[in-house]
Each structure stands twice: as C-alpha cells, then as structure tokens.
Amino acid sequence: MPTDELASERAHLTSSREHLARMRARAASMDSSAAADWVSRMLLDSAQGRRLKALEDDPTVPLFFGRLDYADGHPEAGRPFYIGRRHVSDESGDPMVVDWRAPISLPFYRASTRDALGVATRRRFGFQHGRVTAFEDERLSGGDAVTESDEHWSRILEEEIERPRVGPMRDIVATIQPEQDVIVRADLSESICVQGAPGTGKTAVGLHRAAYLLYAYREQLRRQGVLVVGPNESFLRYIGDVLPALGEIEAQQTTIEQLAGATLSGVRATYTIRGEDPADVATLKGDARLAEVVRRAVWSHLTAPAEGLVVPRGARRWRVPTYRVEEIVAELRGRGVRYGAARAMLPQRLAHAILLAMEEAGDSPDDRVQDAVARSQPVKKYAAAVWPAVDPAKLVHRLLSDAQFLASCADGLLDEDEQRRLLWTKPARAAGSVRWSLADAVLVDEAADVVERTASLGHVVTDEAQDLSPMMLRAVGRRATTGSVTVLGDLAQATTPWATRSWLESLRHLGKDAAHVEELTKGFRVPGEVIEYAARLLPHIAPGLRPPTSVRRARGELDLQEVADPVAAVGDAVASALTRPGSVGVITPDALVRDVAEALRVHGTPHTVLGAAPATEPVPATPADTTAAPAPTIPAPTAPTEPPTAPRTEVVPATLAKGLEFDHVVLVEPATIVSAEPDRVTGLRRLYVCLTRAVTSLVVLHAEPLPEEVAA
C-alpha cells in the first residue's frame, strides 16, 4: 500500500471533516427572527434543528468508507467519488463525500466483474477510531480486472462484519451486499416481505430501506411519515441508534403494544394495557374473524326510526317520513364509508330532505338554510337517536362481557365454545375499570378504525412480523393503507401461539396481497459451525425454508458442555469469554434469570440484566469498550475523568433474545428453554432463536439431556 496515497486519503478525510464543520456552522448561523410570523419562525427553527442534527460529526465514525473511480469513457471518469453516510461539499458545491443513497453510489454495492457498471476500481477503507489505517482496491474493469471465476475476498469487509459487537446495533452501510441493496433501494410504491434467516441482516436491511426512502422521497415522507414497529422496547433500544447514525431522525419507532395502547389511551387517558390473557384466549382474540365480529358490533348500533323527522321552522312544521329516513340511512351505509363519517353526514342529508320539501311547497331556500336546519336541535337529536355515537373501548367491553350481544355479533363466525372463551370470567362493571390486555387493545384499535379511518403513513417497517397475530397485522396494515410496507421476519423464529403460518397469509392480513417475498439465506453474522448446528432444528420447526449458510471464512466456535450445575458453571464460562474482545450474552430460561444473575454477582462479574432495572448496588464495572444496552445508572463523576463504562456481560431472558446479537454467547439449559413454551414446536423455535445470537463463539451449558433434535 503506497504510503503517499494513504497520506492523501487521510488528507481528504481531514478536509472533508473541515467542510462538514463549515456546513454545520453555516446552518447554525441561520436567523429565524426575520420570519414574517411566529408560525414561520417555528417552522424555520424546526428545520434548522433537523439540519444541525443531520450534520453532527462523530470523530470516531469515518465520514466515508469507500471510493469509486469510473472507467474511461464514463461521464464521471477522471474524478473519484467518496461514498459515506452523508453528503459533504466544499465551498463551491463540489462533493467531498457522496451520500451512500445517491444514484452515483449504487455501483459501490452492485458492481462486479460480470457487470462493472462503468466502474474501474472500487476501494474500501479500513479505519481505527475514525482514522484511515488502510485501503484495498478491487479492479472491476480493464486489463487488470479479476476474472469472473476469481472470488474476491476483502479483508477490510470481513473485519468490518466481524468487528466486536458492543452497545446498540450499528448500521451496515459499509457492508451492504448486492442482494440486500436490491431490497434497500426498492421503490417507495413497492411493498416487500423479507424472509431472513438468522444473521442475514434482515433488520438492518429494513432500517436501511427506511433511510433510503427518507432520502429519495424526502418531501413526500416528511409529510406522510415513516414508522418502524418492533417486537418490544428492548429491541427498540437496541436498534434505536441506526437511523440517527445515517442522518435520519424523523422516523418514529414503536411496538405493537405501544401502537394499540396509544389508541386505547386516546379513547380515554386512564385506559392502559395492564392485563394478560391465557395463550388460547389471546390467540382467539387475534383471529381474523374478530374483525367481522367487531364490524358487526359497531354497525349494530344503528336504530330503525320509530317515526319520521319533524322540524318546526317559523310557522310551519316540515316532515321527513320514516321510509325516507330509512332510504337515507341505507344510502349512507352503502357508500362504504366509516361509521363515524356516515354519522356526520346524516344531519346534512336529513336537512337536504327538508330543503326539498320546502322547494316543493314553493319556498326558495339556499344552502344557508340547509346548514341551519342541519344544526338545529330537532335534527341533531333525531340523527343521534338513529345513528348513535360509538365509543370503541365501551364497545369491546360490551362484546367481552355481554354474552347475548357477543352471540348476535358472532353468529356464524364463532361457535359456542369460542364465544364462551372470549367472555371475561369476571367482567368489569365499566370500561374504566377493565384490566385491558394487548389483545383487547388491538380489538379496540380495530373498532376505532371502523368508527373513524386510521390515518395512513407513507411507509411502515415491521420487524419480527412472524410473531404478530392476524388482528395485530391488521392494526399495522391500516397505518399504511395508502403507503407501502417492509415486512421483516423469519418463520423459523415464530414463538407466539398466534404466529403466522405463511408470509402470503400475513401479507393478506396487512392488506398488501401484491407484495413480493424476498428470501435471505446468506449469513454474515452467525459463524458456520454455529448456524449449521442450529439448522438441525429447521426440519422440525420450518420444513419449507432453505437452510442458511454462513459466508464468513471463520467457522466460529461451538462448545457443548454437560455440567452438574449449569448455573454455577456460568461464572467460569463468562470469565473465559471476557478474555476476548466484544460483548457477552448469557441467555437463560426466564425462570433462571435471578439465579444466573446472582451466580455472576458471587463470581464478581459485572453485568446487566435485560429488561430489569439496574441493581441498587451494582458490582463495580471493569473497563470495557463501550456501553451495552440497557446500561445501569451510574452516578456522574465529580472530577473530569474518563466516563464510566458499562459491563460487557448481559443476562438475557430467552424470551427477550430475539433480534439481539453478542460476540460470545453462553446458553444455559436448552431443554428448559424448550419445555417452558406451550408446545414443543414453539419451544424448539425459541431454542433456534437463542442458538443463533452468537457472532464468534457459543458455549452451551446443560445438565439435562439436550433436545434430541440437536443432540450430538
């Protein structure tokens, strides 16, 4: 590697950082005080804040990671293009760094010797703490290009993929592979389902697609919005830094529980999710048939008029006969609009009927008369009696507590046993005292949409979608009725009783039948020895899926240890893992979390417990590379010393392991993880999730015999 060329690249990085600082200073100098009014001033301040956030520079993160040099004859030949996370330009506006999402950057991810896309050389950079340390070139065209049969191996690319995992999830912008890039750059109008095996980067692909769409369709999506739906709050904390690191701060992130809970609390602020259903009841409440039950329940509130409408006006009394009211109601129902929208139209339609009667009598009323009649007390009272308001929470409360009402709405849809199981055993007197479950809240969300149409976003990304019930999928889908979706998941990792059986079924519930399914099987995270061991489970948990393959040269390490006491053995296994760089995850059956955490405390190993509050007296942490998530609360130092670092070891309940990754995993008692689930298939799927969290090494500690499906 020529020293002078490396020095030149370092100089370009330094210059790029200086120009980024200049761009940020210029953005900071904008003065909103000259705005015409306070609304304009607030809009300018908001835009300035977003711009400053997007131009933040982290000196430990390289501004660029690659470079393209186009071949002679290409319109861009003769000048290099540096590919990075954000655009940086010099004073004259010429690019110092090109955003990875720009069209000119596409060949960095897709060019090959088979199709060089006009590129002569692709360069990758190696960095240490934000400083350029190396580069390597790949000749794609010309006399010195590698032949198609030569498999190009990039040391820098491999080192980036295998870099130790500490703290939250990081972006993969420097290592996106061609098959991933096709998904990332798909058009906004396309809805895509990504079936991804463990370690194939499906979550990162979905987040990078969101970042790409926010770049390519910025104004549209700024108005319409982008939403990322994850399985739980721990997962959201884990992925939370990816989009901001790519310069995107406008996408919202939530869980299905938060999504349905927001609708519930929107009905009344005191309504919250604080209950839990048995698995069979939650599965039944998540059945797609409940959508029709809810729809019937809402529309059942329409009341046939007992008599016609009479409106006194001046010295006369105007009438709308009963049959005409019934015709108006039938017409509004036939328009296919929401219950609440049609209800809002009814007074105007009744007033219009009065207007026609006036005209027939020789009067000449105008629109103002019709509006006045529609707002009159007799019309409003009559309309409210015929078409009463519906409270979605009170409706679901009645459905689940009133056997007769449920039977009338579920006739022909649910049998008597299913109706009996749906009913609360001890129903609350009123909706305000209900201990709402997640499945209940999803039903309320469904009812709210029947009453008033849910606002649609421009794009929705939903991860671990295989674990969503049909009713949950409907809740996500109605947030994208006019937008598109990116659905991420793995059928082999489905661990809920209501999990989907096929992606085509899930897409139908989402309302995206036209979406296509992309399957990712090349594993970049899980090493070969580990993924091959875990893949023994596939014939039993997802026989229709292709087994994943690891593309990493390193085979990784798999160590199956039969011990007398797995909990007691955890301390030594973790201590051994901590002699190497990276994070350590101790994945344990939920019932053993306390015991494992105590064993680590006795052993003197600093650690955190995922999903739990930090201990009041944590074991003093030893120096580590970076912060793990969630980090314990550590008092701020009284002197300007190095900031304290969180432990590299995290105890993870098996039920929260999905979507996470650790350099080293110690897995405790697989048989107990399997037996903790309602059925064996679900238990084996949970085990599959736990086995595939490792990036470098996996140690399995067991006293009980290993499940026969993975026994050596």
Side-chain angles (χ1 to χ4, degrees), residues 380-433:
K380 287 168 42 177
K381 185 177 179 180
Y382 187 89
V386 173
W387 207 303
V390 172
D391 180 302
K394 291 180 179 179
L395 175 91
V396 173
H397 169 261
R398 185 183 174 194
L399 260 180
L400 302 181
S401 57
D402 185 336
Q404 187 174 353
F405 182 56
L406 176 61
S408 66
C409 298
D411 183 41
L413 294 172
L414 305 176
D415 60 33
E416 291 184 2
D417 178 64
E418 289 173 323
Q419 293 178 34
R420 179 187 55 78
R421 284 190 288 130
L422 273 182
L423 290 168
W424 289 321
T425 54
K426 296 180 179 180
R429 285 190 172 184
S433 54

Side-chain angles (χ1 to χ4, degrees), residues 10 29 61 82 99 111 141 184 214 217 271 325 333 354 360 388 396 411 430 503 509 547 565 567 614-615 665 669 677:
R10 287 173 174 168
S29 67
V61 178
Y82 290 83
D99 195 298
S141 60
V184 167
L214 283 165
Y217 304 90
Y271 294 172
V325 174
R333 284 205 65 173
I354 297 290
E360 289 176 1
V396 173
D411 183 41
W503 287 124
H509 294 312
D565 186 350
V567 173
V665 169
E669 209 59 275
E677 299 296 333

Side-chain angles (χ1 to χ4, degrees), residues 340-354:
R343 180 176 184 270
M345 296 177 193
L346 182 58
Q348 282 288 343
R349 296 305 305 275
L350 293 173
H352 184 67
I354 297 290

Side-chain angles (χ1 to χ4, degrees), residues 289-339:
R289 293 174 294 169
L290 268 293
E292 176 60 19
V293 173
V294 169
R295 191 195 68 80
R296 291 180 183 179
V298 171
W299 286 96
S300 71
H301 286 73
L302 285 182
T303 304
E307 56 186 17
L309 169 64
V310 178
V311 179
R313 186 167 179 82
R316 302 197 59 175
R317 294 165 65 86
W318 302 98
R319 298 177 181 274
V320 180
T322 303
Y323 76 88
R324 180 59 187 137
V325 174
E326 292 175 342
E327 290 174 352
I328 291 172
V329 170
E331 181 188 349
L332 289 174
R333 284 205 65 173
R335 296 184 63 173
V337 297
R338 295 299 196 268
Y339 180 92

